[in-house]
Amino acid sequence: SRFETCWPALMKDSHGVIIIFNPDLPSHLKEIEMWYSCFVQQQPLLDSQCLLVAHHKPGSAGDTENLSLAYPLNKLKLIHSNLEEDPEDVRMEFMKYFRNIITIINESREREEMSIIS
């Protein structure tokens, strides 16, 4: 990819990764493994700091039941977004995800402060 040289700058000090993909494209399912490997595993971030969003285009069949991802992607939180049908659900999931990230940041900050004190 042309942008690989920018990746280190994008990753620096990041606290979370959201990977949005089109589940109807088999090539995307391969690519998200690479994104996960580069942006989550190599950082390293916790799996709970990563959110997968399977985005269904308007009018696509949107088979949300049968999307089975292989390990290690199947350990990640996966949400289906279809903004025609239920944008509120997606919004709620994003809010949950962001709250989780804030908790993780606060906990690691507290650990750092304690290690400085002790």
Side-chain angles (χ1 to χ4, degrees), residues 24-94:
D24 301 323
L25 294 180
S27 63
H28 273 205
L29 298 179
K30 274 265 131 303
E31 280 176 34
I32 56 177
E33 290 180 19
M34 181 208 51
W35 291 108
Y36 172 74
S37 166
C38 293
F39 281 85
V40 181
Q41 288 179 310
Q42 288 175 29
Q43 288 227 63
L45 292 177
L46 301 169
D47 284 342
S48 57
Q49 287 168 279
C50 182
L51 178 66
L52 289 182
V53 181
H55 184 63
H56 300 271
K57 287 191 171 146
S60 72
D63 184 1
T64 58
E65 299 305 309
N66 294 324
L67 179 64
S68 59
L69 297 172
Y71 180 86
L73 298 174
N74 60 6
K75 302 182 301 175
L76 304 175
K77 173 80 176 153
L78 168 70
I79 65 172
H80 290 271
S81 75
N82 180 331
L83 300 181
E84 280 179 316
E85 282 172 26
D86 214 341
E88 192 51 34
D89 255 17
V90 175
R91 206 174 72 81
M92 291 302 295
E93 289 293 350
F94 269 102

Side-chain angles (χ1 to χ4, degrees), residues 12-32:
K12 188 177 173 347
D13 299 331
S14 64
H15 295 292
V17 175
I18 298 174
I19 301 173
I20 301 173
F21 65 100
N22 180 344
D24 301 323
L25 294 180
S27 63
H28 273 205
L29 298 179
K30 274 265 131 303
E31 280 176 34
I32 56 177

